[in-house]
Amino acid sequence: MVQRITQLLRESRQRLTIPEADEERWPGAYATAETVHEAPSTSGRDLGCPVFVMLPLDTVWVVERDGKRVAILKREKALEIALHTLRSAGVEGVMVDVWWGICERGGPRVYDFSAYKRLFHKCAAAGLRVQAVMSFHAAGGNVGDTCKIPLPKWVVDIGERNPDIFYTDKQMHRNKECLSLGCDEVPLFWGRTPVDMYRDFVDAFADTFDYLFGTVITEVTVGMGPAGELRYPSYPEGDGRWRFPGVGEYQCYDKYMLGDLRRAAHIAGRPEWGHGGPHDAGHYNSKSWETGFFVSQGGNWQTEYGHFYLSWYSGHLVAHADRILGAAAAALSKPGRPRLLRSAIELDDGHVVYEFEPAVKLGAKLAGVHWWFKSRAHAAELTAGYYNTRDRDGYAPIMRTLSKYNARLSFTCVEMRDCEHPPEGRCSPQGLLQQVLECAEAHGVPLAGENALQRYDEHAFDRIAESAFGKTARSGRLEQLTFLRMGDLMFDNWEAFCAFLRRMRGQQG
């Protein structure tokens, strides 16, 4: 990456300068916790859709120095040049994972954000905004993961003694990518619940960086599941258990999930329903029509039992989102945090009523589970926790929760077309995105897009632009786009990417 960035810098030397960024000194005027700001300038974005770029997963890394483990920025000089290069090309900002396993590695409530401080100051010096993702999952088990970052060791140690803190499938395989939502409110972690830990982490992050809120850091996205997405880990490709387009498996077999399922079945008057997931839902790599549960005609997903189970399973996912978003929103809106002026309304008597909002937008991620969308049952969505079928909108409850906390939704697969997928998977990324767009609009939820795969071909760029602007009007279907991902492949396709950026700004040529 260094060689390619250096070449790009040499080609544009006269119009690109790199000011020195000192992590100990903020390079300009900034907001104090008592300051109220106007909303940031749109930088000409009214004509287009602003583009953010995901930074590499291992931008911040931990190394051994003098017998101590310290956090650093990898390839720091190349990173600094790359940030300025992105900004000179018209990129609005960057998205970066703030890894739980790195920042709280030293023990409960022992936080180290030092490397992120260096990073954010470099972003500010480059004129880039930051979407900070509170990544409460481990890296290494998802498509495109290029490194391994575990959960904090002290959390993993608790999991060694109590493996039921992890999602569990019917074969009793424990998924150690993230904690099971079944234990959200169980104080298993040195007296804290998982929701307590997530809230404390966001609070510590805000205490450290609220002077950048609204000016540099404009969004805090809260991870709520595998890959940071609100879903169950129903299609674990990283360890080989699942392969596209398998229906996936239900993740309800840890003792906390099973205990709640038993209680729900007892309340429903059907205790026999409380022993686990559907017995006829196949395995990870089953086709929809091979199962008794998901088959389109006469499948058990349509029965009274099916409705009970799917409502319980998806309901827990929505409740999980409500708990975590509520905790994060409380941390980000504490008294003394920077706030933005939302509106000023003049009353008939001449008085003015001012409305304020937190200086950072709260964000969430949702997976684009598009396989089996053209079937009646939408099997892969059901195992992921989205009770969405041909006859039922499973995204409305999620949108209502996001609206409750004024959160922005980031949704994947905006670059995909139906015709690019094999017919046996009954895929429809276009149909799924259209449903999510309409549902988000109906509930007043701002929608951002992400590409699921790193592509630089015209077909992908055309589809992203179509998703962002609609087919006929440049009114903006997506509020912003986050592009996957900065690295060698992006700089190898730099001219194509720059042309795409001009297109997203509404510029021709």
Side-chain angles (χ1 to χ4, degrees):
M1 185 171 72
V2 177
Q3 182 178 0
R4 181 57 178 146
I5 294 174
T6 303
Q7 178 184 346
L8 289 167
L9 181 60
R10 188 181 304 117
E11 293 171 354
S12 57
R13 182 178 298 166
Q14 293 183 352
R15 61 184 176 83
L16 186 63
T17 58
I18 311 294
E20 193 71 25
D22 182 355
E23 74 275 12
E24 296 301 328
R25 186 168 59 100
W26 174 234
Y30 59 85
T32 64
E34 292 77 27
T35 304
V36 173
H37 303 281
E38 299 286 347
S41 167
T42 59
S43 305
R45 295 179 300 169
D46 292 341
L47 295 177
C49 178
V51 176
F52 286 68
V53 170
M54 295 184 196
L55 294 184
L57 294 174
D58 59 351
T59 296
V60 172
W61 199 244
V62 176
V63 298
E64 292 278 352
R65 285 185 178 172
D66 300 324
K68 296 181 180 179
R69 292 178 60 79
V70 297
I72 63 165
L73 293 180
K74 291 185 70 173
R75 300 176 293 272
E76 186 168 343
K77 187 59 180 178
L79 172 65
E80 191 170 35
I81 296 171
L83 294 175
H84 286 267
T85 303
L86 290 176
R87 185 58 186 153
S88 70
V91 169
E92 185 75 15
V94 293
M95 173 184 281
V96 62
D97 291 279
V98 181
W99 293 104
W100 186 25
I102 288 178
C103 297
E104 202 175 349
R105 67 187 183 278
R109 294 192 182 95
V110 179
Y111 304 104
D112 176 14
F113 297 112
S114 57
Y116 287 98
K117 185 177 181 180
R118 288 184 66 83
L119 174 63
F120 296 157
H121 280 223
K122 291 180 186 298
C123 292
L128 292 168
R129 299 184 187 180
V130 173
Q131 299 175 33
V133 182
M134 307 291 101
S135 294
F136 296 119
H137 64 284
N142 291 288
V143 176
D145 284 3
T146 55
C147 62
K148 290 186 179 295
I149 301 173
L151 299 179
K153 184 179 184 302
W154 56 272
V155 173
V156 175
D157 288 345
I158 292 173
E160 292 298 318
R161 299 190 298 271
N162 180 9
D164 285 287
I165 67 172
F166 299 117
Y167 283 113
T168 307
D169 62 19
K170 62 187 176 184
Q171 292 84 30
M172 299 305 292
H173 184 281
R174 312 289 187 171
N175 188 313
K176 297 182 180 180
E177 184 180 353
C178 58
L179 299 180
S180 167
L181 61 80
C183 64
D184 267 357
E185 299 179 291
V186 186
L188 299 168
F189 302 89
W190 296 82
R192 291 190 296 168
T193 70
V195 174
D196 291 336
M197 295 191 294
Y198 305 149
R199 182 194 60 243
D200 291 346
F201 187 90
V202 175
D203 195 38
F205 179 85
D207 285 344
T208 304
F209 295 115
D210 64 1
Y211 68 96
L212 300 178
F213 281 8
T215 53
V216 178
I217 301 173
T218 56
E219 179 174 322
V220 172
T221 297
V222 184
M224 293 186 282
E229 297 167 335
L230 177 63
R231 64 174 175 88
Y232 293 98
S234 57
Y235 49 97
E237 185 173 36
D239 60 12
R241 282 179 292 158
W242 175 85
R243 287 290 178 264
F244 178 85
V247 297
E249 288 191 15
Y250 289 109
Q251 307 291 308
C252 63
Y253 292 88
D254 65 78
K255 69 180 181 182
Y256 304 104
M257 293 285 285
L258 282 177
D260 194 274
L261 178 58
R262 281 193 294 269
R263 286 189 291 272
H266 179 77
I267 291 170
R270 301 298 297 267
E272 68 274 17
W273 290 349
H275 300 298
H279 67 89
D280 56 352
H283 53 78
Y284 283 109
N285 296 309
S286 294
K287 305 297 190 293
S288 182
W289 62 78
E290 295 173 341
T291 74
F293 193 78
F294 298 120
V295 65
S296 291
Q297 299 299 327
N300 283 324
W301 62 276
Q302 302 173 84
T303 64
E304 182 185 0
Y305 163 74
H307 178 67
F308 161 80
Y309 178 79
L310 294 171
S311 297
W312 171 82
Y313 191 69
S314 63
H316 267 277
L317 193 68
V318 175
H320 175 66
D322 187 55
R323 287 189 290 267
I324 295 180
L325 290 175
L332 295 175
S333 60
K334 281 174 55 175
R337 299 273 190 242
R339 304 184 74 78
L340 294 177
L341 177 62
R342 179 190 294 175
S343 65
I345 303 172
E346 185 173 355
L347 303 179
D348 293 339
D349 60 4
H351 289 85
V352 179
V353 177
Y354 296 96
E355 287 188 318
F356 302 97
E357 62 186 4
V360 289
K361 190 74 174 177
L362 183 60
K365 290 188 176 187
L366 206 62
V369 185
H370 57 82
W371 50 107
W372 303 109
F373 186 87
K374 289 183 178 179
S375 67
R376 291 188 63 204
H378 294 214
E381 288 168 273
L382 298 186
T383 57
Y386 310 142
Y387 189 3
N388 191 55
T389 69
R390 185 171 296 178
D391 306 314
R392 187 182 191 277
D393 186 351
Y395 296 100
I398 297 172
M399 296 300 178
R400 286 193 290 269
T401 302
L402 295 173
S403 179
K404 175 181 176 180
Y405 297 106
N406 193 30
R408 178 189 288 131
L409 173 63
S410 184
F411 190 72
T412 59
C413 78
V414 298
E415 86 286 9
M416 295 183 178
R417 298 181 186 275
D418 293 3
C419 62
E420 296 169 338
H421 295 85
E424 60 268 22
R426 308 300 298 279
C427 303
S428 185
Q430 292 176 262
L432 175 59
L433 178 59
Q434 184 63 34
Q435 179 182 351
V436 171
L437 280 164
E438 293 174 358
C439 192
E441 182 178 4
H443 290 85
V445 174
L447 189 65
E450 294 183 11
N451 52 315
L453 302 175
Q454 189 168 182
R455 294 172 52 181
Y456 296 90
D457 57 279
E458 284 301 316
H459 294 298
F461 287 151
D462 286 348
R463 176 60 188 151
I464 293 174
E466 181 182 295
S467 301
F469 301 119
K471 294 182 179 179
T472 58
R474 300 183 67 82
S475 57
R477 311 282 309 278
L478 297 177
E479 188 172 272
Q480 63 188 42
L481 172 78
T482 303
F483 194 87
L484 173 78
R485 167 182 317 270
M486 190 186 85
D488 290 339
L489 187 59
M490 171 175 284
F491 291 111
D492 287 342
N493 292 273
W494 186 245
E495 293 305 320
F497 183 64
C498 287
F500 168 69
L501 290 174
R502 291 191 293 272
R503 183 175 182 181
M504 295 298 284
R505 293 199 303 271
Q507 300 173 356
Q508 301 298 320

